[in-house]
């Protein structure tokens, strides 16, 4: 499909903004098979009465995109036909950030305000819904949020992962008296740390298996970092080290990985009466020591994506209370070569935190 696109021309003070109009084909990154991505035409749906057409300018690669790229699935979300990836996005209607999930707005969960749990949710880049790694997308206007002048489009795209951290902190009421650990120093663990600090947490200990990720977390503001193994038998000794690093009880543990060992560590490290928040969904099923946790009244709280977070995220970015720019470690152009390199870089992890496309 061919669309008309307006390109903004930057002018000196006092001049009127002009727009040059060019004809371009709308293209997107399609996942065709395991580790097979191609830039191909993407036909947009017709605009509804409450929709807007957005020229996408920045898209980040999420961990779920990598799971789809490697396995054609994330947990129970299975790619069964070619699909456009991407949901961490910002673009221009004029300058907006997009919340990527469209709920039905009619079920009881939606009416109760818990629309992130809607069973009919259409979420960018989650099967079977096409994503936003494209020149243009159509999206409901009320899920687009204007960015202040001092918040870039890349930062706007980062509102999506930041929303996960903000929603997690809201779910467990992080505050100035909450000393916490975060297991997993990947992008979600790091934005959860930034959100927890903004919510007032006075001490944050980051736990991971990778020295590079731990060093990044320390530079970003972690109070203490603990390197652990992937071996279940090491949990007891590692819990001792975590508690020593905290210098007192662990009020809250965020598991931003979601494996048997990480959840076992979280449950054992958390004080009696504390909370464990499961953020990462690494395994569909886990075997955990729940009886001992229940006997200490450790509450396990789950989160799924987010809800009503974009206005707060944008305000935290506008005021500088949270700075997500250091998380963007790699940038690529919207070309076939750039797409291939970007997904390979993000797949390998380590020094790649957030990989961003500039369109």
């Amino acid at each position: 499909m061919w669309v008309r696109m307006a390109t903004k021309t930057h002018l000196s003070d006092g001049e009127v903004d002009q727009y040059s109009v060019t004809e371009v084909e709308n293209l997107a990154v399609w996942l065709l098979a395991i580790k097979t991505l191609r830039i191909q035409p993407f036909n947009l749906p017709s605009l509804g009465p409450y929709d807007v057409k957005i020229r996408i300018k920045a898209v980040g690669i999420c961990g779920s995109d990598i799971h789809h790229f490697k396995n054609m699935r994330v947990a129970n979300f299975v790619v069964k036909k070619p699909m456009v990836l991407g949901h961490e996005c910002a673009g221009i209607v004029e300058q907006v950030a997009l919340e990527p999930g469209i709920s039905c707005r009619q079920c009881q969960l939606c009416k109760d305000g818990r629309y992130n749990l809607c069973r009919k949710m259409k979420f960018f880049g989650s099967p079977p819904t096409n994503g936003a790694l494209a020149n243009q997308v159509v999206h409901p206007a009320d899920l687009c949020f204007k960015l202040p002048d001092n918040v870039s489009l890349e930062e706007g795209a980062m509102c999506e992962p930041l929303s996960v951290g903000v929603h997690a902190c809201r779910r467990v009421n992080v505050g100035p008296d909450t000393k916490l650990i975060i297991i997993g120093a990947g992008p979600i663990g790091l934005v959860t740390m930034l959100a927890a600090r903004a919510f007032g947490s006075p001490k944050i200990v980051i736990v991971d298996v990778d020295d590079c990720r731990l060093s990044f977390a320390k530079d970003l503001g972690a109070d203490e970092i603990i390197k652990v193994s992937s071996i279940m038998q090491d949990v007891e000794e590692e819990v001792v080290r975590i508690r020593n690093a905290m210098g007192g009880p662990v009020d809250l543990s965020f598991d931003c990985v979601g494996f048997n060992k990480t959840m076992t560590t979280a449950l054992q490290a958390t004080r009696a009466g504390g909370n464990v928040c499961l953020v990462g969904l690494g395994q569909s099923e886990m075997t955990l020591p729940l009886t001992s946790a229940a006997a200490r009244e450790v509450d396990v709280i789950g989160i799924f994506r987010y809800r009503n977070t974009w206005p707060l995220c944008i305000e935290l970015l506008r005021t500088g209370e949270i700075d997500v720019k250091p998380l963007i470690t790699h940038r690529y152009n919207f070309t076939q070569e750039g797409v291939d390199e970007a997904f390979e870089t993000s797949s390998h992890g380590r020094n790649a935190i957030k990989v961003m496309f500039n369109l």
Side-chain angles (χ1 to χ4, degrees):
M1 182 180 78
W2 292 87
V3 296
R4 300 187 67 84
M5 177 183 291
T7 304
K8 189 170 183 178
T9 304
H10 295 281
L11 302 172
S12 59
D13 291 343
E15 293 186 81
V16 177
D17 285 349
Q18 300 293 325
Y19 289 83
S20 60
V21 178
T22 56
E23 294 281 355
V24 298
E25 187 176 20
N26 191 46
L27 300 174
V29 174
W30 290 85
L31 177 64
L32 304 180
I34 289 177
K35 293 191 174 181
T36 305
L37 299 169
R38 294 291 182 271
I39 295 180
Q40 296 180 348
F42 180 25
N43 294 328
L44 294 177
S46 301
L47 264 70
Y50 305 107
D51 294 336
V52 291
K53 185 181 289 183
I54 297 143
R55 178 156 47 101
I56 296 295
K57 298 298 291 180
V59 182
I61 297 178
C62 178
S64 63
D65 294 320
I66 296 302
H67 279 289
H68 287 134
F69 173 63
K70 288 183 174 180
N71 308 307
M72 296 291 282
R73 70 180 300 155
V74 175
N76 295 324
F77 297 93
V78 181
V79 181
K80 297 180 180 179
K81 62 181 181 179
M83 183 183 78
V84 178
L85 292 175
H87 57 265
E88 300 178 0
C89 52
I92 294 176
V93 171
E94 280 298 317
Q95 205 160 326
V96 294
L98 284 69
E99 181 171 349
I102 306 171
S103 63
C104 77
R105 306 171 190 253
Q106 296 176 347
C107 69
Q108 195 60 49
L109 286 166
C110 286
K111 291 177 180 178
D112 289 343
R114 305 187 74 179
Y115 64 86
N116 57 310
L117 304 179
C118 175
R119 294 178 64 85
K120 295 182 180 179
M121 175 72 76
K122 296 178 181 178
F123 192 90
F124 274 162
S126 182
T129 306
N130 286 317
L133 189 44
N135 297 127
Q136 291 189 326
V137 298
V138 170
H139 204 56
D142 67 337
L143 294 175
C144 300
F145 299 86
K146 189 176 189 307
L147 295 174
D149 291 341
N150 67 333
V151 176
S152 71
L153 285 159
E154 286 190 339
E155 292 171 282
M158 290 295 292
C159 284
E160 198 281 338
L162 180 57
S163 285
V164 177
V166 166
H167 182 52
C169 289
R170 282 175 168 173
R171 283 276 286 155
V172 289
N173 298 314
V174 172
D177 58 349
T178 311
K179 297 179 180 179
L180 60 92
I181 69 170
I182 296 173
I183 302 174
I188 294 301
L190 294 174
V191 293
T192 300
M193 180 184 77
L194 294 176
R197 192 69 86 192
F199 276 62
S201 175
K203 188 158 187 179
I204 301 174
V205 176
I206 302 290
V207 180
D208 201 280
V209 299
D210 186 270
D211 285 319
C212 185
R213 292 288 175 98
L214 287 170
S215 177
F216 196 98
K218 185 67 173 177
D219 292 342
L220 200 64
D223 295 300
E224 301 287 346
I225 54 175
I226 300 290
K227 184 178 182 181
V228 295
S229 77
S230 57
I231 301 171
M232 183 67 78
Q233 289 74 15
D234 293 338
V235 167
E236 188 172 338
E237 180 269 332
E238 290 168 356
V239 165
V240 172
R241 290 197 286 125
I242 290 169
R243 288 173 176 168
N244 288 340
M246 182 61 74
V250 176
D251 301 312
L252 165 65
S253 296
F254 285 111
D255 180 0
C256 294
V257 183
F259 290 157
N260 279 326
K261 182 176 185 268
T262 55
M263 270 300 282
T264 298
T265 300
L267 290 167
Q268 293 191 14
T270 304
R271 66 167 174 81
N275 293 317
V276 171
C277 184
L278 178 57
V279 180
L281 302 176
Q283 290 180 251
S284 297
E285 295 181 359
M286 288 186 269
T287 302
L288 300 171
L290 287 179
T291 303
S292 60
R296 295 183 294 116
E297 293 193 359
V298 174
D299 291 340
V300 178
I301 298 170
I303 74 157
F304 186 63
R305 294 174 182 157
Y306 35 71
R307 57 178 176 267
N308 301 316
T309 51
W310 256 254
L312 176 56
C313 289
I314 291 172
E315 180 64 10
L316 291 169
L317 297 176
R318 184 192 71 79
T319 60
E321 194 166 352
I322 286 181
D323 183 7
V324 294
K325 294 188 292 293
L327 298 175
I328 305 171
T329 55
H330 295 73
R331 293 174 173 84
Y332 291 90
N333 293 324
F334 189 64
T335 64
Q336 187 62 56
E337 181 182 7
V339 167
D340 292 339
E341 290 183 6
F343 274 83
E344 283 300 320
T345 298
S346 190
S347 295
H348 294 148
R350 295 191 61 79
N351 68 332
I353 301 299
K354 182 54 61 180
V355 176
M356 185 72 65
F357 286 103
N358 295 128
L359 284 76

